[in-house]
Amino acid sequence: MMVAAVEHCSGLILGQVQVGSKTNEIPAVRQLSKDLDLKGRVAALDALHAQQETARCLVESCRADYVAASVKDNQPTIRKNLEELDWAGAGWSEDKFDKGHGRLETRRCAVFDLSDPKWNEICKLKGRKQAFRIERTRHVRKTGKTSRETVYGLTSLGADKAGPDAMLSLAGNHWRIENRLHYATDFTCDEDRCRARVRHLPRNLRCPDLVNSFELNQGRFFQP
């Protein structure tokens, strides 16, 4: 398995690293981060990579920022802290509407400033400065069914760099990897049926992976 870094705006693959046979993709992401020049950039991570050492690697070693696009049950204490914040007093973005794939979707984002020392004992992810909450409502036109989802995340970006609207865009751009990389390898390149097995041939033929990747933002929202 490979872990790849994908640039949001262009979809370019910036680098990839193979996951060792006796480990997983978490340390592979840290290794790849150190191999790339991430200074002044923003790395968008999924829930698996909301890890203390990964955040420390990005903020301290790489001098980059991060957006943990979702925090789930692999970090139960942080997740509970996020759910218990007083989101009624947070700043909210404008509603964003999308139409596609037979769905109508509305999203909005709230951002909660955690930079005050009184918040030091909650949401303990290295370097975090803000928490965010994204509410999604999806309506499937064919079935008429409506679903609602709430996602929580953390970022090292301060309030001076990322407000609610910018955070909504950053978190949304994170999922572009599904169309720009995962779909291309799975369907366009038909990777699953490839039978190349000799030496380095599988890696040479392979588009950078797949299931557990992370993405990078070029910095159009923010100055380095």
Side-chain angles (χ1 to χ4, degrees):
M1 186 171 66
M2 307 290 290
V3 171
V6 179
E7 200 277 317
H8 275 178
C9 301
S10 67
L12 291 175
I13 309 302
L14 302 183
Q16 62 178 340
V17 64
Q18 186 170 352
V19 177
S21 60
K22 296 182 179 180
T23 183
N24 57 47
E25 59 271 21
I26 294 174
V29 163
R30 298 169 194 158
Q31 177 186 337
L32 180 57
S33 299
K34 293 176 182 178
D35 291 342
L36 298 172
D37 180 11
L38 303 186
K39 182 180 178 180
R41 292 194 173 202
V42 182
L45 310 164
D46 61 23
L48 180 66
H49 300 291
Q51 304 285 337
Q52 292 292 350
E53 289 307 312
T54 301
R56 188 186 308 278
C57 173
L58 289 167
V59 173
E60 295 183 353
S61 300
C62 301
R63 299 179 68 185
D65 282 298
Y66 65 81
V67 173
S70 59
V71 175
K72 297 183 178 178
D73 292 339
N74 63 320
Q75 294 286 0
T77 301
I78 296 178
R79 169 79 183 199
K80 187 173 185 292
N81 291 161
L82 289 168
E83 291 174 342
E84 292 176 348
L85 288 174
D86 182 13
W87 292 99
W92 287 85
S93 69
E94 296 290 333
D95 288 356
K96 183 175 181 180
F97 301 93
D98 280 322
K99 178 181 178 182
H101 306 289
R103 299 192 302 264
L104 301 175
E105 182 172 291
T106 304
R107 299 190 302 275
R108 65 174 188 156
C109 177
V111 175
F112 196 102
D113 189 356
L114 295 172
S115 60
D116 193 293
K118 70 180 181 180
W119 304 113
N120 285 351
E121 297 305 311
I122 70 167
C123 301
K124 291 185 177 181
L125 190 65
K126 178 66 179 179
R128 99 288 182 266
K129 294 180 180 176
Q130 296 190 100
F132 59 91
R133 167 178 169 153
I134 297 176
E135 297 179 355
R136 301 189 185 103
T137 301
R138 293 189 181 96
H139 178 76
V140 180
R141 288 183 291 175
K142 184 175 181 179
T143 63
K145 292 183 178 180
T146 299
S147 62
R148 292 175 175 82
E149 179 184 27
T150 300
V151 176
Y152 296 93
L154 291 168
T155 181
S156 63
L157 294 164
D160 58 327
K161 292 184 177 180
D165 290 295
M167 192 57 60
L168 183 63
S169 294
L170 275 171
N173 288 344
H174 171 69
W175 303 114
R176 288 183 181 180
I177 198 169
E178 295 294 335
N179 292 328
R180 292 191 170 185
L181 182 58
H182 297 178
Y183 186 88
T185 53
D186 290 346
F187 293 93
T188 305
C189 300
D190 200 12
E191 184 187 56
D192 289 342
R193 291 200 297 172
C194 180
R195 293 295 178 263
R197 295 290 184 270
V198 179
R199 298 181 182 177
H200 297 294
L201 185 59
R203 290 187 63 184
N204 293 340
L205 291 175
R206 188 176 195 177
C207 294
D209 195 47
L210 274 199
V211 180
N212 291 301
S213 301
F214 77 102
E215 305 173 66
L216 300 170
N217 184 277
Q218 182 66 28
R220 292 191 178 183
F221 291 106
F222 322 107
Q223 294 296 320

